Amino acid sequence: MHTQPELPYRKDALAPYISEKTMDYHYGKHHKGYFDKLNALIVDTPFAQQSLVEIVRSSDGALFNNAAQAWNHILYWDSMSPKTGQMPTGELLNAITRDFGGVDELKSAFTTAALNTFGSGWAWLVINSEKKLAVVSTSNAHNPLEMPGTTPLLACDVWEHAYYLDTQNNRASYLDHFWTVCNWEYVHEQLLKST
Ligand code: MN
């Protein structure tokens, strides 16, 4: 059985950028629901012995959708922090400057990918198979674990359930809030782990 991890902060910790009400529904209903369905689907199947990442990489259909969403949201919660206004530093800043030209250019590329994702999906900062930082977008539950040699560092959920209670149809305003709470310290740790 797979257990939904605790949130890395209180449900009200990202307010007013991400409200407690959004976290209540997003973590408490949507994310929990993916775990509940995942656990129901793997009973008495060979998947019951696999890790969450192994299931994401070897399943399809409803099992893939629920396993991938269970995994995607864990990275998403870690992508945000109550410590607002962080900026990339050190090796992360060097890598961003090398591959995008600067932090503003990275944020612009990521925001464009998020805003241009049609319908439900995700925007990601990844290390690609050429060992460079890159921005990718995926639809529905799809994620960079499906891309060979690719390591995701940062995730932004652009399903409407991530922002509709706070900013309604205004995904751009949600992206502004996301950057305010962006957990660059976590991204930095993931970058160092990957090299
Ligand atoms: Mn979500």
Side-chain angles (χ1 to χ4, degrees):
M1 298 294 274
H2 297 271
T3 305
Q4 182 187 20
E6 294 287 321
L7 270 180
Y9 34 73
R10 289 162 44 114
K11 281 184 184 168
D12 62 356
L14 303 179
Y17 306 105
I18 308 286
S19 69
E20 181 175 9
K21 190 172 184 187
T22 287
M23 294 302 290
D24 254 340
Y25 279 90
H26 201 178
Y27 175 81
K29 306 282 187 197
H30 292 278
H31 195 206
K32 179 180 184 299
Y34 298 129
F35 273 91
D36 290 346
K37 287 175 194 142
L38 160 69
N39 284 324
L41 287 166
I42 61 176
V43 171
D44 294 333
T45 76
F47 293 107
Q49 309 305 321
Q50 294 186 2
S51 71
L52 185 54
V53 168
E54 286 170 337
I55 295 173
V56 170
R57 288 189 162 137
S58 62
S59 63
D60 56 17
L63 179 55
F64 169 81
N65 287 334
N66 285 284
Q69 285 292 80
W71 188 87
N72 294 349
H73 285 82
I74 297 171
L75 179 56
Y76 175 60
W77 308 134
D78 281 334
S79 293
M80 300 184 289
S81 166
K83 198 173 153 189
T84 58
Q86 295 181 34
M87 286 293 289
T89 58
E91 294 183 39
L92 174 61
L93 180 59
N94 291 342
I96 290 171
T97 303
R98 178 193 70 205
D99 297 333
F100 290 94
V103 176
D104 287 346
E105 287 81 358
L106 159 60
K107 287 166 77 170
S108 173
F110 188 102
T111 300
T112 298
L115 298 184
N116 288 345
T117 303
F118 185 78
S120 297
W122 295 81
W124 311 84
L125 176 66
V126 304
I127 304 173
N128 67 18
S129 56
E130 295 169 350
K131 299 294 171 202
K132 290 189 169 167
L133 293 179
V135 167
V136 297
S137 75
T138 60
S139 63
N140 299 317
H142 291 289
N143 69 39
L145 296 181
E146 301 170 86
M147 303 167 189
T150 302
T151 305
L153 305 177
L154 178 72
C156 182
D157 187 344
V158 295
W159 287 53
E160 281 189 346
H161 68 221
Y163 59 90
Y164 211 85
L165 291 173
D166 290 339
T167 67
Q168 291 74 54
N169 60 314
N170 194 340
R171 193 185 280 184
S173 178
Y174 162 64
L175 260 291
D176 284 343
H177 295 176
F178 177 78
W179 289 125
T180 300
V181 298
C182 180
N183 191 356
W184 287 116
E185 285 181 2
Y186 179 81
V187 176
H188 200 154
E189 287 168 20
Q190 299 311 109
L191 176 71
L192 297 181
K193 268 192 211 168
S194 74
T195 51

